[in-house]
Amino acid sequence: MTQEEMCKIIQETALKSYLEKLVAGTSGNVSIYDRETEIMAITPSNLDYRIMKPEDVVLMRTDGTLISCLEDRKPSSEWRLHAKIYEGMDNVNAVIHTHSQHATGFAVTHQTIPVILVEMLPFLGGSIPLAEFGMPATDDVGLNAVKAMTNPPRNCALLANHGVVAVGKNIDQAYIRAVYVEDAASIYYYALQSGIPRAVSHDAEMALREKYHLSKD
């Protein structure tokens, strides 16, 4: 993938996340990582997704070294979140950080989301864990996210008092997982209003884990 293609993918995905209300204003961020060249392409800081162009996207190393950046652009303030995930999860090449409303609501109340939908297993790996709070724009946000998504293995996490992170081997996979996090959170929220949500039974979950070749947790 060329650098130009990487930048175009980031711009298109950022705009799509805004239009589908996974983010508001300039919140959230999107990145992809080319492990062959060790280049990370990430959304710039504080730029409206509706006017963002591919050339606004920042190319950098996970250590913070800038490779390509317009003079008036800086990488997302949460670039360390993305960098630590790439460094800590070698099967991940795309990261999406959103502030989708229902999922972030559970992050604010420090609640995890159990396996209430069978789709959560193939798409998210199971229940949605909660990563411990980390100060914004620090390594801790990423380190805590990696911890939440690796033991047991998951493809997403709620970030305490912050938002959501979803990962994938490519941008399409990470994006659909971010969508499913909000979908599960929304359904769980409404279920809580009308009764007591019931998780998928243990036997059914184990059968589905075997079907989708997932760990037994």
Side-chain angles (χ1 to χ4, degrees):
M1 185 184 303
T2 67
Q3 293 181 8
E4 289 77 12
E5 289 171 333
M6 293 175 71
C7 292
K8 189 172 187 293
I9 286 172
I10 294 299
Q11 181 269 324
E12 291 176 343
T13 305
L15 178 60
K16 183 165 65 171
S17 68
Y18 175 84
L19 294 176
E20 294 195 17
K21 301 186 184 302
L22 295 180
V23 298
T26 62
S27 67
N29 24 78
V30 179
S31 77
I32 55 177
Y33 186 54
D34 185 334
R35 292 191 176 274
E36 184 175 338
T37 61
E38 298 183 338
I39 293 177
M40 176 171 70
I42 190 167
T43 44
S45 178
N46 198 32
L47 181 62
D48 191 322
Y49 295 137
R50 292 170 296 181
I51 64 172
M52 184 186 300
K53 299 177 181 178
E55 53 264 36
D56 292 312
V57 173
V58 177
L59 299 175
M60 61 188 301
R61 305 285 186 194
T62 57
D63 65 1
T65 302
L66 295 179
I67 295 173
S68 176
C69 181
L70 293 180
E71 186 175 353
D72 58 344
R73 296 284 177 253
K74 295 180 180 179
S76 167
S77 61
E78 291 297 349
W79 67 265
R80 293 175 181 82
L81 162 66
H82 298 249
K84 291 304 174 185
I85 290 175
Y86 293 132
E87 292 172 359
M89 302 177 72
D90 58 13
N91 62 324
V92 170
N93 301 312
V95 175
I96 296 183
H97 167 45
T98 76
H99 288 189
S100 55
Q101 292 185 355
H102 291 94
T104 301
F106 287 108
V108 168
T109 56
H110 291 204
Q111 297 183 66
T112 61
I113 300 176
V115 182
I116 55 165
L117 303 169
V118 295
E119 292 84 2
M120 293 175 68
L121 287 157
F123 284 97
L124 306 179
S127 59
I128 303 174
L130 175 74
E132 294 181 6
F133 178 77
M135 286 298 293
T138 69
D139 289 349
D140 287 345
V141 182
L143 293 172
N144 292 345
V146 169
K147 182 178 179 181
M149 290 189 286
T150 54
N151 188 27
R154 291 292 184 268
N155 305 315
C156 62
L158 305 179
L159 306 177
N161 300 96
H162 193 158
V164 176
V165 66
V167 303
K169 63 183 180 182
N170 55 52
I171 195 68
D172 291 336
Q173 192 176 66
Y175 187 83
I176 196 64
R177 287 169 175 171
V179 170
Y180 269 100
V181 169
E182 179 59 14
D183 182 61
S186 178
I187 291 170
Y188 189 50
Y189 171 83
Y190 288 115
L192 286 167
Q193 313 311 305
S194 60
I196 300 174
R198 305 295 185 185
V200 172
S201 72
H202 176 75
D203 288 347
E205 180 174 344
M206 291 302 103
L208 289 165
R209 286 189 174 281
E210 183 174 353
K211 175 181 178 180
Y212 295 117
H213 308 290
L214 302 172
S215 71
K216 300 294 185 180
D217 279 1

